[in-house]
Amino acid sequence: MANPFSLEGKVALVTGANTGIGQGIAVALANAGADIAAAGRSEPTETKALVEATGRRFLSIKADFGSTEPVQRVIDETVAAFGKIDILVNNAGIIRRADSIEFTEADWDAVMDTNLKVVFFLTQAFARQALKQGPVNGVAGKVINIASLLSFQGGIRVPSYTASKSGLAGLTKILANEWAAKGINVNAIAPGYFDTNNTEALRNDADRNASILARIPAGRWGQPGDLGGAAVFLASPAADYVQGITLPVDGGWLAR
Ligand SMILES: NC(=O)c1ccc[n+]([C@@H]2O[C@H](COP(=O)([O-])OP(=O)(O)OC[C@H]3O[C@@H](n4cnc5c(N)ncnc54)[C@H](OP(=O)(O)O)[C@@H]3O)[C@@H](O)[C@H]2O)c1
C-alpha cells in the first residue's frame, strides 16, 4: 500500500517561509517529498539550504503580501518553474500590539490586509489554477491556512490580529463548503505559543512568559518543527476527507 503521508511529486507554495513556522513547514513538506516554492519579502537563504538538503527543488519568489499586487504573479511563477502547483500554505502573517482603546486604523488595516484579505485572494488564485489542472485521484489541491489560538479565543491587546485569525477560521470553512466537491481541501492549523519572531515580545515580558508557560500542559513553548506533522498530514492523501477544520497544535493549551 502506498504511504498515505507521502508528498512525492507534489509542489507546495509556502508564504513567509524564510523564518519561524513557515520555515518549519516548508522543510517538513520537503522531507515528505514535495518541491517548495517560497514566497515572501525576505530572502529565504536558510530555508533554501534546508530544503535542498532533503533533495527537493526550491524556488524563491519575491513578494510583499501587504497588498494583493503579487498574488497572481506568485502562482504564475510557481507554475512556470515546476509545471503545476498542488499545495498552498498561507503562513505569512503579522501582529500589532496595543490597547484597543488607542489602537490605530493603520495597525488595523495592515494586519487585516496581510492576514486575511491577501490570504483570500491568493487562495482564490491558487484554486483557479488547481481547477484548471484538474483532479488527480479526486484531489485538485490542498490549502492550509495558519490560524491561531485567537481563532478560538479573544486574547488581549491584539484586536486586528484576533479579528483576522477568527476570520481565517471562518474563511477556511466557507471555502471548504464551496470547494470540497471540486477536489480542493481547505483546512487550517492553529499553532499554540511558538518560539518565533512573532512572539518575541511575550517571551521578553517575564510575567507574560511565566503565565503562558504555566498554562501549557506540555510545559514548553512550541518549536517550528512541532507543526511539521500536522502540515504534512493535511497536505497528504491521508487527509483527503478532512475539510474545513482548524487543527490546534498547542501543547494542550485549549484543553486547559
Ligand atoms: N509564533 C506563534 O506563536 C504563532 C501562533 C499562532 C499563529 N502564528 C502565525 O504563524 C504565522 C507565521 O508566524 P511566525 O510565528 O513564524 O512569525 P515570524 O517569524 O514573524 O514569521 C512571519 C512570516 O511572515 C512573513 N511576512 C509578514 N508580512 C509579510 C509581507 N507583507 N509580505 C511577505 N511576507 C510577510 C515574514 O517575513 P519577514 O521575515 O520578511 O518579516 C515571515 O516570513 C503567522 O501567520 C502567525 O500569525 C504564530
Side-chain angles (χ1 to χ4, degrees):
M1 185 187 154
N3 175 1
F5 299 102
S6 172
L7 301 180
E8 210 67 46
K10 301 295 183 192
V11 174
L13 170 65
V14 184
T15 66
N18 59 303
T19 184
I21 287 171
Q23 180 181 80
I25 289 177
V27 173
L29 298 180
N31 270 318
D35 291 323
I36 304 295
R41 60 187 174 187
S42 302
E43 202 46 53
T45 315
E46 196 181 69
T47 310
K48 175 178 162 62
L50 291 168
V51 166
E52 288 180 346
T54 71
R56 306 318 314 176
R57 293 180 292 170
F58 184 85
L59 173 74
S60 169
I61 303 171
K62 260 281 188 278
D64 184 338
F65 292 116
S67 81
T68 54
E69 177 278 323
V71 156
Q72 190 58 49
R73 176 175 58 80
V74 164
I75 300 296
D76 292 345
E77 284 189 33
T78 304
V79 174
F82 293 134
K84 62 169 187 159
I85 181 169
D86 304 296
I87 299 158
L88 169 65
V89 181
N90 285 308
N91 167 76
I94 56 172
I95 193 163
R96 299 278 167 86
R97 292 188 167 86
D99 289 342
S100 291
I101 203 75
E102 55 198 25
F103 208 78
T104 65
E105 189 172 346
D107 282 344
W108 179 270
D109 287 345
V111 172
M112 292 298 278
D113 283 355
T114 301
N115 292 11
L116 196 54
K117 179 179 176 181
V118 173
V119 167
F120 173 73
F121 286 101
L122 182 60
T123 306
Q124 180 190 64
F126 167 82
R128 287 174 177 166
Q129 174 62 31
L131 294 177
K132 199 160 74 184
Q133 290 169 195
V136 176
N137 298 327
V139 176
K142 304 265 188 180
V143 178
I144 302 171
N145 294 323
I146 302 307
S148 166
L149 294 177
L150 302 189
S151 302
F152 304 104
Q153 302 180 297
I156 46 167
R157 304 187 73 249
V158 287
S160 57
Y161 188 80
T162 299
S164 71
K165 295 298 187 177
S166 296
L168 190 54
L171 192 60
T172 300
K173 289 185 270 195
I174 183 183
L175 296 181
N177 291 340
E178 290 196 26
W179 297 344
K182 297 181 192 298
I184 299 177
N185 294 72
V186 186
N187 291 293
I189 295 171
Y193 284 84
F194 275 69
D195 179 356
T196 69
N197 300 333
N198 174 293
T199 49
E200 198 176 353
L202 299 179
R203 281 191 310 284
N204 290 342
D205 177 336
D207 291 342
R208 283 301 302 279
N209 188 45
S211 70
I212 286 167
L213 272 178
R215 190 191 149 143
I216 302 173
R220 63 174 178 87
W221 286 74
Q223 296 299 324
D226 288 323
L227 287 169
V232 169
F233 166 62
L234 290 175
S236 75
D240 282 355
Y241 200 60
V242 178
Q243 303 280 4
I245 64 157
T246 296
L247 173 65
V249 180
D250 64 354
W253 173 280
L254 287 175
R256 196 71 175 237

